[in-house]
Amino acid sequence: MGWLKVTFWGVRGSIPVPGPSTMRYGGNTSCLEIRSEDGDWIIFDAGTGLRVLGESLDLSKKHDITILISHPHWDHINGIPFFTPIYIPGNRVAIYGPGTVEMSLEDILSGQMKYSYFPVRTVELQAEISYHQIEQDSFTIGNFTIESITLNHPVACLGYKVHYGGKTFIYLGDNEPYYNVYKDGDGEMGEFVENLNRRLVEFVKGADALVTDSQYLPSEYESKRGWGHSTTHHVVNMAVRAGVKKLFFFHHEPLRSDDDLDDILLHYRQMIQDRGFPLELHAAMEKQTFDI
Ligand SMILES: [Zn+2]
Ligand SMILES: [Zn+2]
């Protein structure tokens, strides 16, 4: 068991935002990968960053690819039709993820390649593609042991925990902390909600690295409550409570410029330092790699 590395290929939420103000952190939507020295390899989410990841591969070689999808919103699956390895015979692509109440995982993913949306027919996908619809579960992929957990989002959405050689890496897709919908306060309901949130704190407990949706600032949250996303405040609190070692803000709000992200990071790093929390904080940046 040697090194374990994570690379970001798309760090943005909701919609790609190319342009001068997003050049440093990047404008592609959700996609990251984890690789081990033993050759274990998993891609998380298939936003537009997946296209860039595909370009980084040596396509003269055959690849055995595993993609874990958090949920099938556009910003998490839109890169699949533009992922070159799916057109090359001999490649194998296994896609794991949840379905929705209306559709299976396979119907959702092949649906976005229907002729009305996309010019290539599914028969032109030369790679061997398999679909694995999962819920909250645990399974292995090579030397990686994976646990998935249900998150709070308008559609079924999963977070993933990877165990490898005593290390743990966690990727949480889109997620909003549960809250008490009864504004006038209902004691029992408050406790119920707190238990639901505690379940996620338990899941991320002691993680070596946590990458999580932190789309909004606390000042933006009230008008977006119920949309299924966390604030920077929520995730810093959760990481501190759970004793996470490294936290990465991810799924950045599309309107957020590079300078905004720098300012946010600075603000929270100062707060963490002032309070003496043993947490290392970063904002995910496209094409950045870190060791676990
Ligand atoms: Zn999203
Ligand atoms: Zn979503």
Side-chain angles (χ1 to χ4, degrees):
M1 301 277 174
W3 56 254
L4 189 61
K5 287 176 193 294
V6 173
T7 304
F8 294 109
W9 295 97
V11 300
R12 201 58 65 167
S14 310
I15 193 162
V17 278
S21 69
T22 59
M23 282 196 30
R24 280 188 295 118
Y25 284 91
N28 282 300
T29 58
S30 300
C31 182
L32 58 155
E33 64 175 341
I34 186 165
R35 288 178 182 269
S36 80
E37 189 165 10
D38 300 328
D40 302 297
W41 177 32
I42 291 175
I43 299 169
F44 296 98
D45 273 336
T48 62
L50 184 67
R51 184 189 64 80
V52 194
L53 190 165
E55 285 176 358
S56 76
L57 302 173
D58 177 356
L59 296 177
S60 65
K61 294 193 181 133
K62 299 294 165 242
H63 295 281
D64 211 335
I65 299 166
T66 305
I67 306 178
L68 304 189
I69 303 277
S70 63
H71 68 302
H73 279 160
W74 277 339
D75 51 326
H76 300 258
I77 62 166
N78 241 337
I80 292 175
F82 303 93
F83 185 48
T84 314
I86 63 172
Y87 299 99
I88 301 173
N91 286 334
R92 286 196 302 200
V93 185
I95 307 179
Y96 292 73
T100 64
V101 180
E102 302 158 307
M103 289 167 89
S104 71
L105 175 73
E106 179 166 2
D107 288 345
I108 295 163
L109 296 182
S110 53
Q112 75 165 341
M113 298 192 72
K114 285 215 167 87
Y115 246 1
S116 309
Y117 304 118
F118 192 69
V120 177
R121 290 166 303 169
T122 352
V123 293
E124 290 175 66
L125 305 183
Q126 299 281 322
E128 190 188 309
I129 301 174
S130 60
Y131 299 93
H132 309 266
Q133 188 165 318
I134 53 169
E135 294 169 3
Q136 195 159 298
D137 212 340
S138 78
F139 50 100
T140 58
I141 292 169
N143 296 303
F144 289 152
T145 304
I146 320 285
E147 282 175 68
S148 54
I149 189 169
T150 312
L151 301 174
N152 186 32
H153 201 55
V155 295
C157 183
L158 294 175
Y160 295 103
K161 173 152 64 175
V162 179
H163 300 272
Y164 171 83
K167 308 265 178 71
T168 49
F169 168 72
I170 296 172
Y171 169 58
L172 301 184
D174 297 4
N175 177 56
E176 179 170 7
Y178 294 93
Y179 58 90
N180 193 340
V181 290
Y182 299 104
K183 285 204 178 82
D184 52 354
D186 172 324
E188 268 178 48
M189 192 54 89
E191 198 180 311
F192 176 68
V193 164
E194 176 56 22
N195 283 336
L196 287 172
N197 288 327
R198 198 174 295 133
R199 167 185 153 271
L200 195 57
V201 173
E202 286 300 320
F203 187 77
V204 304
K205 194 154 237 160
D208 291 287
L210 166 64
V211 173
T212 177
D213 169 19
S214 52
Q215 181 152 352
Y216 301 130
L217 295 174
S219 56
E220 297 161 334
Y221 182 63
E222 273 318 309
S223 61
K224 320 246 162 152
R225 193 183 269 273
W227 291 17
H229 297 288
S230 296
T231 68
T232 44
H233 230 71
H234 288 143
V235 302
V236 169
N237 275 341
M238 177 173 69
V240 168
R241 268 179 82 185
V244 167
K245 297 184 182 78
K246 268 187 213 181
L247 170 67
F248 288 80
F249 290 151
F250 185 79
H251 202 273
H252 308 313
E253 160 65 34
L255 292 170
R256 204 81 73 220
S257 70
D258 289 331
D259 292 346
D260 292 340
L261 283 168
D262 284 345
D263 290 347
I264 294 166
L265 199 54
L266 209 65
H267 167 84
Y268 280 98
R269 279 181 174 166
Q270 190 62 54
M271 189 268 278
I272 286 165
Q273 197 187 331
D274 290 349
R275 299 193 185 181
F277 296 140
L279 173 68
E280 192 184 312
L281 179 68
H282 302 272
M285 185 181 269
E286 226 171 86
K287 295 199 176 165
Q288 185 187 59
T289 295
F290 69 91
D291 291 293
I292 296 177

